[in-house]
Amino acid sequence: MRFLRLEIQDIFAYCNCNRIEFGDCTPEKNIVVVSGRNGAGKTSLLNAIKLLFLGTRSEAIRRIRVGDTPLNPKQFMLGVPGRWYGVFPRDRRRDGAVARVALFWEEAGATYSAERQFTLTRGGNEFTEKLLVTRNGRLLSDEDAEARLQTLLPDEVVPFFFFDGEQIQSLADADVGRESVEIERLLGLSFLNDIDRQLEVYIRERRRAGLPETARFRIVALEGEQKSEEARAESARRLRVALEEEIADLEAAKARAEEARKNLRSGLSEDERAKMRARISNFERQREALATQIATKLPLEAPLLTNLSMVDQAFRTLDDQLKSGAAAGLANRLHQDLPPGVVSILRDLKPSVTLDDSQSTALEEGLASLLTAFGVPADSFEHPLFASVAPTLRQQLRDRFLTWQQTGRDTVAAHADLLRQMRALNAQQRQAQRELDEADIVSEDSRKRFEQLTHEIEAAEGDIRRRLQEIVVHEQDESRASRAAATLTDKIRAAYEEHADVLRENTAYVMSRSVRWALQTYRERRRAAIRASVENRLREKVAILLAPSQLIKSASLNDNFIMTYQDGDGEDVARQSISAGMRQLVAMAMLWALKEEAKRPLPVIIDTPLGRIDRENRDLLMTDYFPVAGNPLVLLPTNTEFGEHGFDQLAAHICKRYEIQNDGGRAATIIEQPMTGLF
């Protein structure tokens, strides 16, 4: 497969027809560089290519701002005032206007093109979307066009080929295997899963055949409940994954804002800055020591002590119960049943003892008085909370609440004092940081920009915290639904086992189970072999890209393609100890390994390829990764990201170089740059 060119026309900020040529790329000269300043349109170029493969049906591409919910397709295409410009350039919106992105390539002696067109209709208030795929100039049908594009690059694997260098860390951070389905699709394993699902449906139908009608109805009902719980678990999982992806985006945005804020600092001398940072570090140490003290002294009953009136009420209730001298329920039953019971026994004696009404009443009253005198008063009240609590345990609870009642206020006061100290230290540290920031910023414009970036960082941190809390809720929902589905699975199995003799004589069911078992065995063996191959490739790439690292020396994959990292002694390295730049390198190593294993000859496009990579590791990307990452490999760096040194390193592999020129942020043009005299 040989790619020829990419065209984008009147889409996002790109006016007229812009071309990027790939036809001259070779395995040795495989790199096309499209550089531009921040905001020039590099990310728009990446999104235009994603739009070609995904169309507006993709929610991921319609989430235009970190943390936002996706726009609907019309909002995404036509824009939302004050929030999103839309896909169509503002000054070219007229009835019949067309925005398009197209890719051209050669394969097996034939020429192909895939183009997605968006056309404005109804005075620019609506749009139509059309995918056009040609083979040797002949237009394929809509169904064949979609199938051909999916064969070239399925939706699920688009992120493995077109990605932001700073936003791929979720691949390195994943601890639940959320990418495993996409990885299986990339590596050609998904068709086995599709066959297995079809076999499962057939087996379920054959399994029910021959069962009594009542058993079938019961099993169908249980399977319906099971599907409902599985759907609930899957929904919770998808919501959790979406939040995790949003957190990754927020982390990347926060990191960019922190880097931009850091670059504004220049006003202090190193000595002055060191003194102010030492003061901030001292506050931080005091905070850590105080936090440890608070955590150590915090009693387990802290939730109770925050509401001492509730402690008082609980103590009084327990004390009243114990003062009754006996279980209230028993006392009331004795007063109600014992006196008339004694009178009844006297009547049944041989010879009987006959009492008149006044004597019976006197006897009953006397017995009631004796019960009260013996510590069993009438009309005892038993709180329903303690109905099943033994008297000895009630006594222990009463004594514990008495302790809380007597010492609670002193304990609360002591902890309140510690918390006030913590609040004061927090304020002092923030003030010291503010003084450092203000002293380090020299111009008023820089100060305003610094405050803006600080607000963005704080907002991102707040959004991250909220999403982490939402993730916990979805994890709980997923866990509950999964447990419920597992319970229903056991009930379904038990229902079938009641008619095991029928199942044994069901030839179609027995045979289909054997076929499915053979398929699953093959799938697991094939999957294990591919996983082992990817793991070996991953270790090779980690050894190259993280060679300077003293922390990570190797990596492993589990059955769900989740990565773990090892140091030089083979010990696991916690993800929390890995920097953002190192996670980016690990993710790139994984993408490199997956691309080699998948053997898909597709272009790779990387926005902000160097991100937060340090100088030493940048050199490794330049010399070892980029020359083999794709043919073609399209790099979208900022105009300062590579520098002369970077271009010198890539010179032997660069086939074409372009620059995005953008007038006012809304009129981007891709201009080819001469190759001579650049390096």
Side-chain angles (χ1 to χ4, degrees), residues 11 24 41 244 255 258 295 334 339 390 426 459 538 546 565 572 632 674:
I11 190 168
D24 294 334
E244 289 171 349
E258 288 174 338
L334 285 173
N426 286 336
L538 173 63
L546 283 89
Y565 319 110
D572 285 347

Side-chain angles (χ1 to χ4, degrees), residues 31-35 604-606 609 626 633-637 642 650:
I31 297 177
V32 175
V33 178
V34 185
S35 59
V604 174
I605 302 177
I606 309 177
F626 293 153
L633 168 68
V634 182
L635 299 177
L636 306 176
F642 279 0
L650 290 178

Side-chain angles (χ1 to χ4, degrees), residues 350-561:
K350 300 298 183 179
S352 64
V353 178
T354 303
L355 301 176
D356 59 27
D357 291 343
S358 62
Q359 289 175 319
S360 296
T361 301
L363 178 59
E364 291 177 1
E365 290 176 352
L367 289 171
S369 298
L370 285 174
L371 285 172
T372 301
F374 291 155
V376 186
D379 300 323
S380 296
F381 170 73
E382 181 174 54
H383 198 285
L385 285 175
F386 307 114
S388 60
V389 180
T392 54
L393 183 56
R394 295 184 193 187
Q395 181 67 50
Q396 294 173 9
L397 283 172
R398 182 258 186 199
D399 294 344
R400 187 58 181 148
F401 272 96
L402 176 61
T403 301
W404 291 337
Q405 185 191 50
Q406 293 175 343
T407 64
R409 286 173 175 77
D410 292 339
T411 302
V412 170
H415 277 276
D417 184 59
L418 291 176
L419 292 173
R420 280 191 291 271
Q421 294 179 41
M422 177 63 77
R423 185 165 59 246
L425 278 174
N426 286 336
Q428 289 175 310
Q429 183 180 357
R430 285 196 298 270
Q431 180 61 32
Q433 184 65 53
R434 193 177 300 113
E435 291 172 359
L436 172 61
D437 295 339
E438 291 176 354
D440 221 5
I441 309 291
V442 293
S443 70
E444 186 62 28
D445 289 344
S446 296
R447 194 181 307 280
K448 290 180 180 178
R449 177 60 177 158
F450 190 94
E451 292 175 356
Q452 178 187 352
L453 291 168
T454 299
H455 177 73
E456 291 177 7
I457 292 168
E458 291 173 350
E461 290 173 343
D463 288 341
I464 289 169
R465 285 194 297 271
R466 284 190 291 274
R467 280 161 176 76
L468 287 172
Q469 292 170 354
E470 292 176 32
I471 283 175
V472 171
V473 174
H474 293 314
E475 285 177 340
Q476 292 172 345
D477 289 344
E478 183 181 359
S479 178
R480 282 193 292 266
S482 297
R483 288 197 301 270
T487 300
L488 288 163
T489 299
D490 292 338
K491 290 182 178 179
I492 292 169
R493 184 184 301 111
Y496 278 117
E497 287 175 354
E498 293 176 7
H499 305 279
D501 54 335
V502 176
L503 294 176
R504 282 193 293 270
E505 295 177 4
N506 189 332
T507 306
Y509 167 67
V510 173
M511 181 63 71
S512 58
R513 280 195 65 187
S514 299
V515 171
R516 189 184 184 203
W517 178 84
L519 176 69
Q520 290 177 336
T521 301
Y522 170 76
R523 181 187 63 183
E524 292 307 312
R525 289 177 181 173
R526 177 71 177 149
R527 197 173 189 277
I530 290 177
R531 185 206 59 77
S533 179
V534 173
E535 184 177 63
N536 289 334
R537 294 180 190 274
L538 173 63
R539 287 172 175 166
E540 292 175 3
K541 309 317 178 191
V542 166
I544 294 171
L545 296 185
L546 283 89
S549 171
Q550 300 303 312
L551 183 61
I552 296 179
K553 290 300 182 183
S554 185
S556 302
L557 294 175
N558 71 4
D559 290 340
N560 288 322
F561 294 93

Side-chain angles (χ1 to χ4, degrees), residues 8 14-21 32-36 40 45 656-663 667-675 678:
I8 56 174
Y14 290 95
C15 299
N16 302 316
C17 184
N18 292 262
R19 293 183 177 87
I20 298 175
E21 299 289 345
V32 175
V33 178
V34 185
S35 59
L45 176 60
K656 295 276 186 180
R657 183 181 175 190
Y658 297 86
E659 183 177 345
I660 302 174
Q661 297 180 1
N662 195 331
D663 182 14
T669 304
I670 299 174
I671 306 296
E672 185 173 357
Q673 302 295 306
M675 295 294 294
L678 291 176

